[in-house]
Amino acid sequence: MLTVEDDERIRSAVKLALEDEGWTVDEAESGEAAIELFNRNAPDVVLIDIMLPGIDGFELCRTLRRTSAVPIVMVTARNDTHDIVAGLEAGADDYLTKPFAAKELSARIRALLRRIRPSTTRRSHMVFGELELSPEEGKVTRSGEEIHLTKTEFRLLCELAENAGKVFSRENLLDRVWGYDYFGDGRLVDVHIRRLRTKIEADPANPRYVVTVRGLGYRLET
Amino acid sequence: MTATVPVGPPDQGSIHHRLRLRPLGLRRRLLLILTLGSMGLSLFLAITTYGLTRSNVVTQRDESSVDATRRNAQLVTSSLRGNPPNVQDALDALRGFGVQRPLIWYRPSQDWYGGSGRFQAAVLPEELVRRVVTDAIPARMILDVAGETNLVVGWPLPDVGAYFEFFSMGDINSTLGSVRLALALASAITTGLGVMVGVFAAQRSVRPLGAAAQAAKSFASGRLDTRLEVTDDPDLSVLADSFNEMAAALQQRVERDARFASDVSHELRSPLMTLSASVEVMEARRDEMPERARAALDLLSSDVTRFKGLVEDLLEISRFDAGAVRLHLEELLVAEFVRQAVAISSVPTARMTTTQRSETLLIEGDRRRLARVIANLLDNARIHGAMADSGEVTISVQEIPESDGQVSKVQIAVEDHGGGVPADERSLIFARFARGGSAGRRSSSDGAGLGLALVDEHIRLHGGRVWVEDRLDREAGARFVIELPAEELAPEEIAHEEIAT
């Protein structure tokens, strides 16, 4: 795991706590150092503090996203909708607010890294209109053209697809995709749904595949 | 710490005092001034015009009357100088010329002649007679004879006596009457126009005040970016400029205060992060610690948790103060939502009752914040219930139908078996850092006293309200009620959806 945090004391304490949870932790104190370490060590997960000197957390996130689908968790000192949505829009898969518990972070990351559960109904190939989904290969195409999704977006689409036609509440999706076993944040689902739509829908404002069901949640149209 | 806030009936005396001395409003004053002004001006003009017209007409009549009298006096003189002098001839001659009201004083016989009807010598004032007859000076005078205004002109006839003639001025009066009527009408119209101009001007001049009042109201209600439109009008721009300056200064100050609170809690989060992570590392090795270190760690750990809650609450409150709270609104099925919120609260076993209709009620809400609200209320109930060492906490969801049967509101109520809240503290407990005052019933571990204040702020932001009352079953305890706007979902909208599990 790569943690990017400019406060040295926090870095040390978080490293100690995460190592207790069994992680190998690389530390970077700036965005620039983080990019270098990322390219050298190819971590499984990146933890980014939004407030960084130099390149800020959002920018770093976007930079990493350009080349990688690695799970990214944002850490913010503010719980403002603005910061959180901006972080998710920049490509983060999840977020935590300071102070967070290493146990919780660890659980969150394991959920992000977890592979899609094997399931008896699972098919290796699914087709919805022009959309083709191959969970085994981690590939999605629309009209034969490959669409690049992050791991989380792909998981979200797969969960919806496996029970296509059924409605998923936000909590249900939070549980399945992010592993939240408590009251999660609907913003996580909403922002990811929005990003997923911009990638797979021809007209994201009038979605053909991922539709909103009033009062209940989301559904993938068959 | 016990805060006492005086609550009592408002001072009746001072209200009456203010009512009595209350001056006329600006608009009324302007209207009054313009009305009185236009009325005064038109009356002045009317009276002046009338006076001038009258004196003009009267003067004309006067001159022509004097001329006629002089001519007729010469006629009479020549008749009376004849031989023998004959007064009757003179009168006949005058009648021949159309003179209607002649009167002759014939000195040789010391007697009056002529006089028709009421126009006799008796009505002539002594003064006039003396002047004309005794002093031999021509004179004239206006008299009322039998209700008719007359001009009497007297002309001395050397040696033979004097000649008087009455001229009726009734026609002048009727002319002047028409003039009076016309002028009165004109004044009335002018005054009416003045009133209209007054109303218009008053409204025009007060309109910017209305805008200013609205701006001030909006500012007071928390929209700190309210400003008055800047105009070219030099009189109004003074008001607009000073209002805007004041607003900017206040906004700056409020924002600075809010930012300070936000910065403080923000700055506190970094050391808290280090503390929290370090405590976690230590807790993983709790079993290796000696007894006393373990006790100290437990204290440290629980207070780090408390500290986190406090910082979180402070930050949220400062966000409210800065007006920076943005709700992430979702449509929520309220009963299901409450069920989940209860499950993750500190009282997951709270008994919950819902009505059938409430299961299909939708609210627009920020899931995270509303869950917090319910958690805070349950926390509050748990603490009070625990203090009283009795009974369970219950939560109920119920629709509030309008008179037409439609549902537009939902009530979520939390009841406990604690000590209840005395009537005079009910509005105060939603204040920040308010502690269930009088008896100090709460323990010191129930947070910073921001919980209910946050509930209040959150619910108000959701367009609802929250209050506390007695339990419905009249047993000891408190009932906290949240009322939120809600909408009923048609059952068929849910029925056909297959829910993934």
Side-chain angles (χ1 to χ4, degrees), chain B residues 204-205 208 229-241:
Chain B
R204 268 303 283 256
S205 62
E229 211 173 303
V230 178
T231 60
D232 294 334
D233 187 321
D235 296 324
L236 295 182
S237 67
V238 174
L239 176 66
D241 288 349

Side-chain angles (χ1 to χ4, degrees), chain B residues 162-202:
Chain B
Y163 173 70
F164 293 86
E165 192 174 336
F166 292 87
F167 296 90
S168 169
M169 294 185 73
D171 55 335
I172 294 185
N173 272 346
S174 86
T175 307
L176 287 177
S178 314
V179 172
R180 265 201 306 274
L181 185 66
L183 285 174
L185 272 176
S187 316
I189 290 171
T190 320
T191 307
L193 282 174
V195 172
M196 278 161 67
V197 170
V199 169
F200 178 70

Side-chain angles (χ1 to χ4, degrees), chain B residues 318-391:
Chain B
S318 71
R319 239 178 259 141
F320 273 107
D321 289 347
V325 173
R326 299 276 173 274
L327 296 180
H328 180 76
L329 293 177
E330 294 171 31
E331 285 181 320
L332 303 169
L333 277 168
V334 62
E336 181 55 30
F337 166 79
V338 171
R339 211 167 279 130
Q340 294 183 25
V342 171
I344 58 142
S345 74
S346 65
V347 199
T349 56
R351 195 161 55 83
M352 180 169 162
T353 56
T354 58
T355 58
Q356 193 175 1
R357 251 181 126 177
S358 71
E359 293 288 347
T360 55
L361 285 184
L362 270 186
I363 53 171
E364 279 256 306
D366 185 313
R367 172 200 303 270
R368 211 167 41 87
R369 291 199 160 96
L370 284 183
R372 186 77 187 282
V373 162
I374 287 167
N376 281 359
L377 287 183
L378 288 173
D379 259 352
N380 186 62
R382 175 179 57 87
I383 289 156
H384 284 275
M387 292 302 286
D389 195 27
S390 65

Side-chain angles (χ1 to χ4, degrees), chain A residues 25-46:
Chain A
V25 182
D26 281 341
E27 298 175 48
E29 79 281 348
S30 71
E32 291 83 350
I35 293 172
E36 204 188 305
L37 267 175
F38 181 82
N39 291 335
R40 181 147 26 104
N41 294 354
D44 297 328
V45 169
V46 184

Side-chain angles (χ1 to χ4, degrees), chain A residues 121-214:
Chain A
T121 60
R122 175 117 150 269
R123 287 155 292 173
S124 60
H125 192 75
M126 290 180 266
V127 180
F128 305 95
E130 296 171 339
L131 220 55
E132 285 183 48
L133 199 58
S134 317
E136 298 288 347
E137 299 165 52
K139 215 171 102 180
V140 189
T141 60
R142 191 178 71 201
S143 314
E145 217 171 299
E146 184 166 357
I147 300 171
H148 296 281
L149 299 181
T150 67
K151 286 204 167 92
T152 306
E153 288 157 1
F154 189 74
R155 288 260 312 284
L156 185 59
L157 183 57
C158 284
E159 291 292 351
L160 288 168
E162 270 189 64
N163 284 295
K166 291 188 179 177
V167 183
F168 286 81
S169 65
R170 289 181 179 79
E171 302 87 74
N172 195 341
L173 288 173
L174 278 169
D175 175 30
R176 284 165 182 254
V177 181
W178 284 270
Y180 275 77
D181 54 356
Y182 68 98
F183 233 72
D185 184 346
R187 290 175 294 192
L188 263 177
V189 180
D190 293 346
V191 173
H192 275 91
I193 289 280
R194 197 154 71 221
R195 269 178 30 202
L196 184 59
R197 278 176 180 163
T198 59
K199 290 183 182 176
I200 66 169
E201 301 279 358
D203 177 7
N206 297 298
R208 141 89 181 79
Y209 301 109
V210 182
V211 297
T212 307
V213 182
R214 209 168 98 98

